[in-house]
Amino acid sequence: MPPEPPGNTAATWARIRARLRDEVGEVEYRTWLRQMSLSSIESDEVVITLPTRFLRDWVNSHYGDRLRAFWQAEHGGVRRVAILVAPSTGLEEAQAGLAQRVDVPPGRSARPAEPRAPEARSEWIAPLEPRFTFDTFVVGKPNEFAHACARRVAERPATPGFNPMFLYGGVGLGKTHLMHAIAWTIREGEPTRTVAYMSAEKFMYRFINSLRTQSTMEFKETLRAVDVLMIDDLQFLIGKDNTQEEFFHTFNALVDQGKQIVVSSDKPPADLAGIEDRLRTRLGHGMVADLHATTYELRLSILQAKAAAAQVTIPAKVLELLANKITANVRELEGALNRLVAHANLFGRPVTLDSAQEVLGDLLRAHERRVSIEEIQRKVADHYNLRMNDMISARRARNVARPRQVAMYLAKQLTQRSLPEIGRRFGGRDHTTVMHAVSRVTELIGQDVALAEDVALLRKMLET
Ligand code: ADP
Ligand code: MG
């Protein structure tokens, strides 16, 4: 990725929007940010407009820092991002493309941004998100190990066995959140320690820039002087051999000095094909912790915590609906909840199941699963080596009854069928039998790891 020639403002803006979209997720992006329009760039100030005051205030308070950080990453000269209200021009959609034009209100000229000045040291370190602390991280089965490791590293950095810490997991499961939480904790405990957090992409960008400006010595020295180095989304370095090489040297230098390294990735070290063997090996030598896909229970606790933090009362039924339907990642879940919260604040009306369905209609439909009870029965029977007939038979042997309960539980979770309807489909059982199955399995998931894994696996197979 060669650095952009300065002045290619349209491309820069498109890139910033794309990064924001990646960071906040599609739902949130569409709700709040899509209508942003780049108005002008005056020496050190970027002006962005939105069509309403409400949007302006929201974007200002929720994304203002990110916008500024992204602009600064692109153009070191940018000091301020001003967000103003201006009537919509109807060009927003067109601006999503690379070949966008920049709207210039009369009296202002769209000057290209200043060429990048050599960066100051403080700019080496990406800003930390204030929301990403241990306090706001909700712990459940799928993330408790990673969370415990993160805490441990935050409290006693560079403990042998925990260095490097390699954190991996799918998109939106909390890797960045945990890394920022570690950084906050270390900074709080010992403000003199330098904690450098940056994405692997940023690392590469800095490195390339240092080559270009012949300041690689400074690059190396700065990084080797930190106490804790955190590199997010390491998979970005796959196939980027020179940057990997540089990272490897930095890595070794820091570990030799007894400094803590934390790295995140979407895959475990062994699966990082395209990362040099010797680096992969070293990455796996400390603590490797993974964030598993969320469970229904974790999603529900996260929603409860976030609704409470936003001080908005949202009926349990609505939270259950979201936890049931939006299973891909926590970021999307948050996006949906934020939309409900905003709606409630905007119209001053309480959220109900109906209003939620209306507000989130497109989103919920996109996540609609068309799983049938029969499909569930078949998958569960296969998984436990049973016959389809065992799902509806009256046999009560544990090895048959338990899988049947799992199937009923999944039928309740994954379909819209009522309890009596599910009962009928399981050999004409009573709805109280289904209810019992659901609560029994829910309880067992918290106690029996093997069963919890079975259920998670089955759910995954049925959902995709
Ligand atoms: P990743 O880096 O793994 O893609 P993030 O750390 O950016 O994911 O998390 C995405 C969003 O979901 C963030 O807003 C984060 O705060 C939130 N999130 C993820 N996991 C949790 C959790 N266990 N508790 C609270 N919020 C979470
Ligand atoms: Mg991340």
Side-chain angles (χ1 to χ4, degrees), residues 22-23 132 170-177 179-180 197 232-233 235 264 331:
D22 281 347
E23 190 167 297
F132 291 176
V171 177
L173 297 183
K175 299 183 294 294
T176 300
H177 189 136
M179 289 178 102
H180 286 216
Y197 163 90
D232 206 350
D233 290 320
Q235 72 277 1
S264 85
R331 193 174 296 142

Short mmCIF file of all heavy atoms in Angstrom, two decimals, residues 22-23 132 170-177 179-180 197 232-233 235 264 331, ligand 2:
data_model
loop_
_atom_site.label_atom_id
_atom_site.label_comp_id
_atom_site.label_asym_id
_atom_site.label_seq_id
_atom_site.Cartn_x
_atom_site.Cartn_y
_atom_site.Cartn_z
N ASP A 22 -15.93 0.00 8.68
CA ASP A 22 -15.37 -1.25 9.21
C ASP A 22 -15.41 -1.26 10.72
O ASP A 22 -15.71 -2.26 11.35
CB ASP A 22 -13.90 -1.39 8.80
CG ASP A 22 -13.81 -1.87 7.38
OD1 ASP A 22 -14.84 -2.31 6.84
OD2 ASP A 22 -12.72 -1.80 6.81
N GLU A 23 -15.10 -0.12 11.27
CA GLU A 23 -14.98 -0.08 12.71
C GLU A 23 -16.34 -0.15 13.41
O GLU A 23 -16.50 -0.85 14.39
CB GLU A 23 -14.25 1.20 13.11
CG GLU A 23 -13.87 1.20 14.56
CD GLU A 23 -12.90 2.31 14.88
OE1 GLU A 23 -11.77 2.30 14.35
OE2 GLU A 23 -13.27 3.20 15.66
N PHE A 132 -13.68 1.44 25.91
CA PHE A 132 -13.11 0.09 25.95
C PHE A 132 -12.29 -0.15 27.22
O PHE A 132 -11.07 -0.12 27.19
CB PHE A 132 -12.23 -0.16 24.73
CG PHE A 132 -12.99 -0.26 23.43
CD1 PHE A 132 -12.30 -0.41 22.23
CD2 PHE A 132 -14.37 -0.23 23.39
CE1 PHE A 132 -12.98 -0.52 21.02
CE2 PHE A 132 -15.07 -0.33 22.19
CZ PHE A 132 -14.37 -0.47 21.00
N GLY A 170 -12.98 -14.05 16.01
CA GLY A 170 -13.65 -13.49 14.83
C GLY A 170 -13.93 -12.00 14.98
O GLY A 170 -13.69 -11.40 16.03
N VAL A 171 -14.42 -11.42 13.92
CA VAL A 171 -14.71 -9.99 13.87
C VAL A 171 -15.75 -9.60 14.92
O VAL A 171 -16.75 -10.28 15.10
CB VAL A 171 -15.29 -9.62 12.49
CG1 VAL A 171 -15.66 -8.14 12.44
CG2 VAL A 171 -14.30 -9.96 11.40
N GLY A 172 -15.48 -8.50 15.61
CA GLY A 172 -16.48 -7.93 16.51
C GLY A 172 -16.71 -8.72 17.79
O GLY A 172 -17.74 -8.59 18.43
N LEU A 173 -15.72 -9.51 18.20
CA LEU A 173 -15.92 -10.29 19.42
C LEU A 173 -15.19 -9.69 20.62
O LEU A 173 -15.21 -10.25 21.70
CB LEU A 173 -15.47 -11.74 19.21
CG LEU A 173 -16.27 -12.52 18.15
CD1 LEU A 173 -15.78 -13.97 18.07
CD2 LEU A 173 -17.76 -12.51 18.47
N GLY A 174 -14.53 -8.55 20.40
CA GLY A 174 -13.96 -7.87 21.57
C GLY A 174 -12.44 -7.85 21.67
O GLY A 174 -11.91 -7.53 22.72
N LYS A 175 -11.75 -8.16 20.58
CA LYS A 175 -10.28 -8.15 20.65
C LYS A 175 -9.76 -6.74 20.92
O LYS A 175 -8.96 -6.53 21.83
CB LYS A 175 -9.67 -8.65 19.32
CG LYS A 175 -10.07 -10.07 18.97
CD LYS A 175 -9.38 -10.55 17.69
CE LYS A 175 -9.82 -9.79 16.45
NZ LYS A 175 -11.23 -10.01 16.08
N THR A 176 -10.22 -5.80 20.13
CA THR A 176 -9.74 -4.43 20.31
C THR A 176 -10.16 -3.89 21.67
O THR A 176 -9.38 -3.22 22.36
CB THR A 176 -10.28 -3.54 19.17
OG1 THR A 176 -9.81 -4.08 17.93
CG2 THR A 176 -9.81 -2.11 19.31
N HIS A 177 -11.38 -4.23 22.07
CA HIS A 177 -11.87 -3.79 23.38
C HIS A 177 -10.91 -4.27 24.49
O HIS A 177 -10.47 -3.47 25.33
CB HIS A 177 -13.28 -4.35 23.59
CG HIS A 177 -13.97 -3.81 24.80
ND1 HIS A 177 -15.28 -3.40 24.77
CD2 HIS A 177 -13.55 -3.61 26.07
CE1 HIS A 177 -15.63 -2.99 25.97
NE2 HIS A 177 -14.60 -3.10 26.78
N MET A 179 -7.79 -5.18 24.26
CA MET A 179 -6.46 -4.57 24.15
C MET A 179 -6.47 -3.16 24.74
O MET A 179 -5.56 -2.78 25.48
CB MET A 179 -6.00 -4.53 22.70
CG MET A 179 -5.65 -5.90 22.16
SD MET A 179 -5.17 -5.79 20.43
CE MET A 179 -3.40 -5.89 20.57
N HIS A 180 -7.49 -2.39 24.39
CA HIS A 180 -7.57 -1.04 24.96
C HIS A 180 -7.71 -1.11 26.48
O HIS A 180 -7.13 -0.30 27.21
CB HIS A 180 -8.74 -0.27 24.36
CG HIS A 180 -8.50 0.19 22.95
ND1 HIS A 180 -8.96 1.38 22.46
CD2 HIS A 180 -7.84 -0.39 21.93
CE1 HIS A 180 -8.59 1.52 21.20
NE2 HIS A 180 -7.92 0.44 20.85
N TYR A 197 -0.15 1.40 21.36
CA TYR A 197 -1.16 0.55 20.73
C TYR A 197 -1.33 1.01 19.30
O TYR A 197 -1.47 2.21 19.05
CB TYR A 197 -2.49 0.67 21.48
CG TYR A 197 -3.65 0.15 20.65
CD1 TYR A 197 -4.02 -1.19 20.73
CD2 TYR A 197 -4.31 0.96 19.74
CE1 TYR A 197 -5.05 -1.68 19.93
CE2 TYR A 197 -5.32 0.48 18.94
CZ TYR A 197 -5.69 -0.85 19.04
OH TYR A 197 -6.68 -1.33 18.25
N ASP A 232 -2.68 -4.58 16.81
CA ASP A 232 -4.03 -5.11 16.59
C ASP A 232 -4.16 -5.61 15.14
O ASP A 232 -3.61 -4.99 14.23
CB ASP A 232 -5.03 -3.97 16.84
CG ASP A 232 -6.40 -4.49 17.26
OD1 ASP A 232 -6.64 -5.70 17.17
OD2 ASP A 232 -7.23 -3.65 17.67
N ASP A 233 -4.88 -6.69 14.97
CA ASP A 233 -5.17 -7.24 13.63
C ASP A 233 -3.90 -7.57 12.84
O ASP A 233 -3.70 -7.12 11.72
CB ASP A 233 -6.04 -6.26 12.81
CG ASP A 233 -7.45 -6.19 13.38
OD1 ASP A 233 -7.99 -7.25 13.76
OD2 ASP A 233 -8.02 -5.08 13.43
N GLN A 235 -3.14 -10.08 11.26
CA GLN A 235 -3.33 -10.77 9.97
C GLN A 235 -3.13 -9.82 8.80
O GLN A 235 -2.89 -10.25 7.68
CB GLN A 235 -4.71 -11.45 9.91
CG GLN A 235 -5.91 -10.53 9.76
CD GLN A 235 -6.40 -9.95 11.09
OE1 GLN A 235 -5.82 -10.21 12.13
NE2 GLN A 235 -7.46 -9.15 11.06
N SER A 264 -3.11 -9.11 18.42
CA SER A 264 -4.40 -9.74 18.14
C SER A 264 -4.45 -10.15 16.68
O SER A 264 -3.72 -9.63 15.84
CB SER A 264 -5.56 -8.80 18.42
OG SER A 264 -5.78 -7.98 17.29
N ARG A 331 -20.57 -6.13 17.62
CA ARG A 331 -20.64 -4.80 17.05
C ARG A 331 -22.02 -4.56 16.42
O ARG A 331 -22.62 -3.51 16.58
CB ARG A 331 -19.53 -4.62 16.02
CG ARG A 331 -19.34 -3.19 15.60
CD ARG A 331 -18.14 -3.06 14.70
NE ARG A 331 -16.92 -3.42 15.42
CZ ARG A 331 -15.93 -4.10 14.87
NH1 ARG A 331 -16.01 -4.50 13.64
NH2 ARG A 331 -14.86 -4.36 15.58
MG MG B 2 -10.60 -4.94 16.29
#
